[in-house]
Amino acid sequence: MADSAKRVLFVNSEIYPYLPETPMSRIGRYLPQGIQECRKEIRSFMPRYGCINERKNQLHEVIRLSGINIVVGDVDRPLVIKVASISAARMQVYFIDNDDYFRRKQLAFDDEGNFFADNAERTVFFARGVLETVKKLRWAPDIIHCHGWISHILPLYLKKSYRDDPIFSGSKVVTSFYDDTPSAPFSPDFARLARFSGVDEGDVCLLSEPTGINLAKLAAQYSDGVIFSAPDVDGQIVSWCEGLGIPVLPFDGAAMADGTYVAAYNSFYDQL
């Protein structure tokens, strides 16, 4: 970027304390705070999974941002936006909600360990819900940083469906990869479900075989930079990313342990 990034949008699968503490949820919690302390403006989004206690975490609906309908698979579904605050970090978290997709208590698998049949629809709804909400906020991000498989369709939409929108015309997208790549396949019609304004069949050809690996490859293909945020990212994803010719930030266990990864990520944003 010609100048340092000033605004960073975080699109998260998990944020602690709304979900149990994991390496990904810790990054979801502490990276935005660290970037904010680097004097950047931040916004954070995640799904409003049914296991999140709204009363305990003081979530409330933002009426002015809700009310959009998003069509996924020819079905109109209402988008509801909720918000909560992490007072210790002086930051808000926006939640993408819809009863059909996010009311269930589990994140991606049912109690018998089956991958949800509608996970392809959920990722499409989540990504478009985030982008439509940011448009309503009229907040133009310099960097959009995606974390977790449920955010992996967003880079495609940013580069194809929203590229001419003035809110996103200057946005660069970074994707962090973890060890959360689903091994179970998505719905066979994922490529069709992913089609949206500006996205044609050729743009989603990777999804003709709708695996988690191919979804991750799609995310990297439309990203401006990638970060390996875990030590055990699938080797197929690593090789694909390294072959794209885009900036790659490797995993640094020591930096992750002592918190200096925040400075490295901040510098990575500024170099895009």
Side-chain angles (χ1 to χ4, degrees):
M1 305 185 80
D3 300 306
S4 326
K6 301 294 193 299
R7 293 176 166 183
V8 183
L9 171 66
F10 295 96
V11 185
N12 304 278
S13 175
E14 305 175 13
I15 299 176
Y16 177 79
Y18 304 110
L19 293 177
E21 191 168 1
T22 65
M24 189 189 300
S25 71
R26 284 198 299 271
I27 290 175
R29 162 64 179 84
Y30 294 106
L31 176 61
Q33 178 181 350
I35 295 300
Q36 184 168 250
E37 290 169 356
C38 292
R39 300 188 177 181
K40 287 177 168 57
E41 292 183 50
I42 62 102
R43 296 286 188 277
S44 286
F45 282 77
M46 71 173 289
R48 205 293 292 177
Y49 301 109
C51 58
I52 297 172
N53 187 311
E54 293 199 11
R55 180 173 297 179
K56 175 184 174 183
N57 292 292
Q58 300 182 337
L59 272 67
H60 62 272
E61 184 176 349
V62 186
I63 302 297
R64 69 184 179 87
L65 297 177
S66 300
I68 300 172
N69 275 16
I70 292 178
V71 179
V72 181
D74 303 322
V75 178
D76 244 358
R77 288 185 169 85
L79 171 64
V80 176
I81 305 299
K82 296 175 180 174
V83 70
S85 296
I86 300 178
S87 55
R90 295 182 295 108
M91 68 184 225
Q92 290 186 316
V93 176
Y94 293 89
F95 295 84
I96 299 295
D97 199 5
N98 172 270
D99 278 353
D100 293 329
Y101 292 140
F102 298 114
R103 190 171 188 176
R104 65 200 73 164
K105 301 290 185 183
Q106 309 91 337
L107 305 192
F109 297 85
D110 66 21
D111 290 334
E112 283 71 48
N114 300 307
F115 198 52
F116 288 133
D118 64 352
N119 274 334
E121 296 177 42
R122 296 170 86 215
T123 188
V124 168
F125 185 91
F126 178 61
R128 288 182 51 198
V130 169
L131 293 170
E132 289 295 335
T133 303
V134 172
K135 281 178 60 177
K136 271 200 166 186
L137 287 168
R138 302 192 63 78
W139 188 81
D142 297 303
I143 298 291
I144 300 176
H145 192 169
C146 298
H147 302 261
W149 68 263
I150 203 165
S151 71
H152 282 175
I153 203 79
L154 189 148
L156 166 70
Y157 290 150
L158 180 71
K159 297 297 185 178
K160 292 291 181 176
S161 304
Y162 292 83
R163 63 183 179 183
D164 295 325
D165 191 294
I167 292 292
F168 300 110
S169 60
S171 300
K172 303 286 188 179
V173 63
V174 175
T175 301
S176 269
F177 292 104
Y178 297 82
D179 60 353
D180 69 324
T181 306
S183 57
F186 290 90
S187 166
D189 61 349
F190 196 175
R192 179 185 65 82
L193 293 168
R195 296 278 298 276
F196 178 55
S197 174
V199 177
D200 62 33
E201 189 174 352
D203 298 324
V204 291
C205 58
L206 277 166
L207 296 181
S208 59
E209 185 181 347
T211 64
I213 295 290
N214 281 344
L215 178 60
K217 288 180 176 180
L218 186 74
Q221 180 179 324
Y222 290 100
S223 294
D224 297 288
V226 300
I227 297 175
F228 298 130
S229 295
D232 42 9
V233 177
D234 189 285
Q236 295 177 70
I237 299 172
V238 173
S239 297
W240 176 267
C241 292
E242 291 175 343
L244 289 173
I246 59 175
V248 174
L249 185 65
F251 179 74
D252 184 337
M256 196 63 67
D258 65 17
T260 55
Y261 76 94
V262 172
Y265 284 25
N266 186 53
S267 177
F268 190 75
Y269 299 156
D270 290 344
Q271 293 169 13
L272 293 179

